[in-house]
Amino acid sequence: NDLKFDLAGYLAMFFNVLTNIIHVSLTKRIQKRGKVRKEVSLHYQSIFMCIFLAFFLVNEDVAGIYQRLLAQSLSVRLAFLSTGLNGIVIALCSMWCIEATSGSTYSMVGALNKIPSSALGILIFHDPINLLNLAGVAIGLLGGIVFTMAKMRMAPPQVALKSRV
């Protein structure tokens, strides 16, 4: 089991949540202020990420990677293409979520979606069920419940719709 709790892990998680909240807040502000469409925002974010990826690709054999991809079967190349298309769809869905929710909610959903993966990982890979595994899943679920209850208390009361008779 590679699970360990230490200060570096907690700091990394804190930094991840903090940068996610900043990213969502800035994206929301840009979309509202400049009336920028989601597709355009996604385009510029992708270009911005390519700048960071360029530093990693400097030491790689990009032509060799491309040649190995072309040598693969058609089904592998179609699967590779589908991951790119799925990435675009997921990014557009993320843009909608950013528009519809707050940064903290978006970040919490991103963290909470790991809980079913953890539980399935325990079941699929026959990881021994022990107190530490169960505690990790339980703490994650409890955190999600507490966050949801806090958000519900902060939300303004909804006006009930009157039905027409």
Side-chain angles (χ1 to χ4, degrees):
N1 195 350
D2 62 350
L3 183 66
K4 69 178 189 175
F5 298 95
D6 60 356
L7 182 61
Y10 286 116
L11 288 176
M13 193 63 190
F14 174 75
F15 181 72
N16 181 22
V17 170
L18 183 66
T19 55
N20 201 0
I21 289 172
I22 291 169
H23 170 258
V24 170
S25 299
L26 289 174
T27 302
K28 252 182 146 167
R29 185 174 296 148
I30 289 169
Q31 285 178 348
K32 283 183 181 179
R33 185 179 299 159
K35 303 291 185 210
V36 177
R37 292 188 348 249
K38 291 179 212 123
E39 299 84 9
V40 174
S41 179
L42 174 64
H43 173 74
Y44 286 120
Q45 285 183 8
S46 298
I47 290 174
F48 185 67
M49 284 308 302
C50 287
I51 293 169
F52 289 110
L53 288 175
F55 291 115
F56 293 109
L57 292 176
V58 168
N59 295 327
E60 296 295 326
D61 180 21
V62 177
I65 293 171
Y66 183 69
Q67 291 302 322
R68 285 192 297 274
L69 177 63
L70 291 179
Q72 298 295 321
S73 67
L74 179 63
S75 61
V76 171
R77 287 184 280 168
L78 287 174
F80 186 77
L81 177 67
S82 75
T83 59
L85 294 176
N86 288 337
I88 292 170
V89 171
I90 289 170
L92 287 171
C93 291
S94 295
M95 288 294 170
W96 174 80
C97 288
I98 287 170
E99 188 178 301
T101 65
S102 68
S104 58
T105 302
Y106 183 77
S107 182
M108 183 57 94
V109 169
L112 289 177
N113 72 9
K114 309 313 185 266
I115 294 171
S117 300
S118 299
L120 283 173
I122 291 170
L123 295 174
I124 292 172
F125 298 113
H126 306 293
D127 197 18
I129 298 175
N130 57 32
L131 186 60
L132 188 60
N133 288 345
L134 292 176
V137 172
I139 290 170
L141 287 173
L142 182 64
I145 291 169
V146 169
F147 180 80
T148 302
M149 290 174 64
K151 278 293 195 179
M152 287 173 61
R153 284 188 183 155
M154 290 173 47
Q158 301 264 340
V159 177
L161 295 174
K162 294 182 180 181
S163 61
R164 295 183 178 182
V165 180

